[in-house]
Amino acid sequence: MADPVVASHLSLVLKAPPTNSSPSHSLPQQHSKPMASSLNSAASLRLFVSSSSSSSSAAARLCLRSTSLSFSSSLKSLAVSPLSRHKRGSAVSMSSTGGFSSVASPKCAASDPDQLKSAREDIKELLKSKFCHPILVRLGWHDAGTYNKNIEEWPRRGGANGSLRFEVELKHAANAGLVNALNLIQHIKDKYSGVTYADLFQLASATAIEEAGGPKIPMKYGRVDVSGPNECPEEGRLPAAGPPSPADHLREVFYRMGLNDKEIVALSGAHTLGRSRPERSGWGKPETKYTKDGPGAPGGQSWTVQWLKFDNSYFKDIKAKRDEDLLVLPTDAVLFEDPSFKVYAEKYAEDQETFFKDYAEAHAKLSNLGAKFNPPEGIVLDDGPR
């Protein structure tokens, strides 16, 4: 399996369906720790090892937790995977519904604050070793970005509800490669069973931005998980990379989420991180002088020279149009062509502080879309400013 960074095509704004509709990576078969297969390279994509101490801590804090585990057969398509072997005594298993299910989600409080803080520290260590900032940002975005403001009912409205852990949604063309992100963080989910998938996805996304040098994101937690793949949104809610009318397409998709032009442009700036790989998205070069040596698996085409550093260079580079080795998608170029978008793109190219401020606000808003919080006001981690 390829290095996690190969999946660092980072946005709600840019996935075009690959010519082959099946994902680049097959999902691992049922085993004791879902998607925590024994990959032995730097691309090892594991999702979290159970910790009895953290699990007991969660049980002490969270009321009315289910004591039963969901054990059942995995999808038939996963049954022949050589990447894993079934083990007994697991606290985590593939569910018969086709997703990755750990100990049942808490019934009184969605996530435990202490476990959230500990999980964040583990994510920081993961980022240092795997250079997986882009794909973790994308994971959070794509879980939240299915939100439809015109649908009131949860979870049918989509949004940040952990549904992206299920195979039916992972197979959406826009989510190609995100199985790698799940593999990367599952060992953290296993270790901190008092954290929901919905919270973990958004925690990983915000932490990746901050650890790459970006702004502190004003996050809150307590998102409730959906329970099965029947609650996943239909395909087609995420943006494409090369629509016939890029500006109209961006507005159609992001306005449906309740976002405005400023937020569209600010969020697009997250393309300062990551690379696009043509074998997945159909966009970009196989490699450039900026990506041929990694870090992580080499290859792909990045939007910026330092594609693991969060800054405003995305806007500067699009405006300059000087480097053919840097990627500019139609949905990127339109930010300097559409009159309304251009106001913000020009501002962000000149003023990184303003970009950081607007980005942090937009990222936090995106991460809350469609979520059901328990407690309703959410949980703010009391760690103060970075």
Side-chain angles (χ1 to χ4, degrees):
M1 185 175 289
D3 187 279
V5 223
V6 303
S8 51
H9 185 181
L10 192 235
S11 123
L12 292 173
V13 181
L14 21 143
K15 286 301 257 189
T19 53
N20 184 346
S21 60
S22 61
S24 302
H25 298 275
S26 62
L27 293 170
Q29 81 175 75
Q30 175 185 356
H31 50 77
S32 62
K33 295 181 175 59
M35 305 190 71
S37 50
S38 56
L39 306 176
N40 58 8
S41 69
S44 177
L45 304 176
R46 295 182 58 96
L47 276 109
F48 327 181
V49 181
S50 292
S51 165
S52 59
S53 61
S54 59
S55 296
S56 61
S57 174
R61 296 185 184 93
L62 303 173
C63 60
L64 299 180
R65 292 183 54 86
S66 168
T67 57
S68 64
L69 303 177
S70 170
F71 290 98
S72 55
S73 60
S74 64
L75 297 171
K76 292 180 181 179
S77 62
L78 310 181
V80 296
S81 170
L83 298 178
S84 59
R85 296 292 183 267
H86 181 77
K87 298 178 183 179
R88 297 181 179 178
S90 169
V92 183
S93 73
M94 281 292 294
S95 73
S96 60
T97 53
F100 303 96
S101 112
S102 66
V103 178
S105 295
K107 303 302 181 185
C108 271
S111 290
D112 178 90
D114 290 339
Q115 289 200 25
L116 281 164
K117 291 179 183 179
S118 296
R120 182 172 55 191
E121 295 309 307
D122 285 11
I123 291 167
K124 290 178 182 180
E125 292 304 311
L126 179 71
L127 291 166
K128 291 176 185 177
S129 63
K130 299 295 183 183
F131 309 106
C132 54
H133 305 66
I135 197 174
L136 293 188
V137 175
R138 183 172 162 236
L139 177 67
W141 281 30
H142 282 219
D143 194 48
T146 59
Y147 175 63
N148 186 338
K149 70 177 183 180
N150 301 312
I151 301 175
E152 184 176 351
E153 179 189 354
W154 183 93
R156 196 168 64 87
R157 66 195 182 205
N161 57 29
S163 64
L164 190 48
R165 72 189 189 274
F166 292 109
E167 194 243 10
V168 64
E169 189 169 345
L170 282 170
K171 290 179 73 173
H172 292 177
N175 293 328
L178 282 178
V179 63
N180 296 343
L182 280 168
N183 276 328
L184 278 166
I185 62 171
Q186 184 62 48
H187 73 280
I188 301 175
K189 179 66 179 78
D190 294 347
K191 184 175 178 181
Y192 303 109
S193 61
V195 175
T196 62
Y197 278 99
D199 272 349
L200 184 64
F201 293 168
Q202 301 309 322
L203 177 67
S205 183
T207 303
I209 292 291
E210 293 169 8
E211 292 299 294
K216 176 76 175 176
I217 312 296
M219 298 291 290
K220 67 176 182 178
Y221 299 95
R223 295 169 188 81
V224 176
D225 279 339
V226 297
S227 57
N230 59 305
E231 296 178 315
C232 290
E234 73 278 5
E235 186 165 9
R237 294 196 187 185
L238 297 173
S245 178
D248 290 344
H249 177 71
L250 289 178
R251 289 193 173 97
E252 178 185 357
V253 173
F254 284 91
Y255 283 11
R256 186 209 70 219
M257 299 181 210
L259 300 173
N260 58 34
D261 285 1
K262 181 175 79 170
E263 291 160 337
I264 291 172
V265 179
L267 288 171
S268 296
H271 286 147
T272 192
L273 299 178
R275 302 173 284 179
S276 176
R277 290 182 177 272
E279 68 271 20
R280 295 194 175 176
S281 67
W283 294 90
K285 298 179 180 180
E287 72 172 26
T288 70
K289 60 178 176 285
Y290 303 122
T291 66
K292 63 184 179 68
D293 297 320
Q301 186 174 13
S302 60
W303 285 263
T304 61
V305 175
Q306 294 181 287
W307 47 269
L308 287 176
K309 178 182 179 182
F310 194 95
D311 57 19
N312 68 338
S313 58
Y314 166 78
F315 298 105
K316 292 180 176 179
D317 291 336
I318 294 175
K319 184 177 180 179
K321 300 179 181 178
R322 287 194 299 258
D323 195 331
E324 293 185 356
D325 267 349
L326 297 180
L327 181 63
V328 180
L329 298 171
T331 44
D332 300 316
V334 77
L335 301 182
F336 282 90
E337 297 166 355
D338 178 87
S340 177
F341 288 159
K342 185 176 180 179
V343 171
Y344 301 107
E346 292 276 5
K347 181 187 298 184
Y348 297 155
E350 298 299 323
D351 186 348
Q352 180 168 286
E353 184 177 350
T354 298
F355 166 52
F356 273 26
K357 176 181 178 294
D358 290 351
Y359 178 85
E361 293 173 355
H363 185 124
K365 181 176 178 178
L366 174 65
S367 76
N368 294 337
L369 295 180
K372 179 168 72 174
F373 285 91
N374 193 358
E377 68 275 13
I379 300 166
V380 177
L381 302 184
D382 56 349
D383 54 351
R386 190 179 53 164

